[in-house]
Amino acid sequence: MADEEVIALGWQHRLMVRGARLWWRVRRPRTLGVRAIVEDGMGRILLVRHTYIDQWHLPGGGVRKWEATEAAARREVREETGADAAIVRLHGVFHNRSQFKDDQVVVYVARADGNVAPRGDGFEIAEARWFAAEATPDVGPATGRRLAEYRTGATAFGPW
């Protein structure tokens, strides 16, 4: 895919997200999402950079109807990064009301092969990369909180 096509797809996705946020403001739906703190055997964390928002984030997304949250986390990691992750443990369950919806977010700790070169999909994910756990790039506020909890080994619950 040419760079111009990736940029156009990124802008289309940004517009779709803005439309969804407007809909959420009106409807205030309840949603269920997952995120994964994906580690490798070398102490690195897998993060993604979206095409429609700034900063780096944990891979994740929505849970489909009839899908278990653990299966959704593995699917989202695979779709967003190309890595196959094995769930290690539950990190926590959080409540996110930042985008005008009632979002429950289940966060898992997972393990994946660090030799796999992650890749973005060019539409939703601009880039996926491994980072040293103590030297992550500019991450979103919630991602920063989840990584701080992860570093201390805490299981956490509460606001996103």
Side-chain angles (χ1 to χ4, degrees), residues 10-11 13-15 17-18 21 24 35 48-58 60 80 96 98-99 123-127 138-141 143 160:
W11 277 107
H13 205 265
R14 280 182 188 261
L15 290 174
V17 168
R18 286 187 182 164
R21 286 183 181 152
W24 296 335
R35 296 281 179 166
V48 297
R49 189 173 55 79
H50 295 89
T51 58
Y52 54 92
I53 52 176
D54 296 327
Q55 302 174 312
W56 290 81
H57 300 272
L58 299 171
E80 292 187 351
N96 183 4
S98 66
Q99 297 179 352
F123 179 63
E124 179 186 8
I125 305 299
E127 188 176 4
D138 182 27
V139 296
T143 299
W160 179 243

Side-chain angles (χ1 to χ4, degrees), residues 3-120:
D3 287 343
E4 297 83 27
E5 292 173 325
V6 170
I7 291 169
L9 286 173
W11 277 107
Q12 289 172 356
H13 205 265
R14 280 182 188 261
L15 290 174
M16 288 172 28
V17 168
R18 286 187 182 164
R21 286 183 181 152
L22 178 61
W23 179 248
W24 296 335
R25 186 181 289 248
V26 172
R27 291 277 306 170
R28 309 243 186 231
R30 173 165 286 179
T31 58
L32 178 60
V34 291
R35 296 281 179 166
I37 301 170
V38 181
E39 58 189 15
D40 69 0
M42 297 176 275
R44 298 182 302 172
I45 302 295
L46 184 57
L47 297 174
V48 297
R49 189 173 55 79
H50 295 89
T51 58
Y52 54 92
I53 52 176
D54 296 327
Q55 302 174 312
W56 290 81
H57 300 272
L58 299 171
V63 178
R64 296 175 179 162
K65 188 174 183 176
W66 307 110
E67 184 178 37
T69 57
E70 180 182 338
R74 287 192 321 269
R75 176 183 52 76
E76 285 289 343
V77 169
R78 189 173 41 260
E79 287 176 1
E80 292 187 351
T81 71
D84 285 318
I87 302 299
V88 175
R89 67 178 171 87
L90 175 68
H91 174 73
V93 180
F94 303 91
H95 188 214
N96 183 4
R97 294 182 58 200
S98 66
Q99 297 179 352
F100 308 104
K101 57 184 176 173
D102 183 15
D103 193 16
Q104 303 295 318
V105 184
V106 180
V107 180
Y108 289 99
V109 175
R111 175 132 325 147
D113 183 356
N115 293 321
V116 173
R119 48 108 183 112

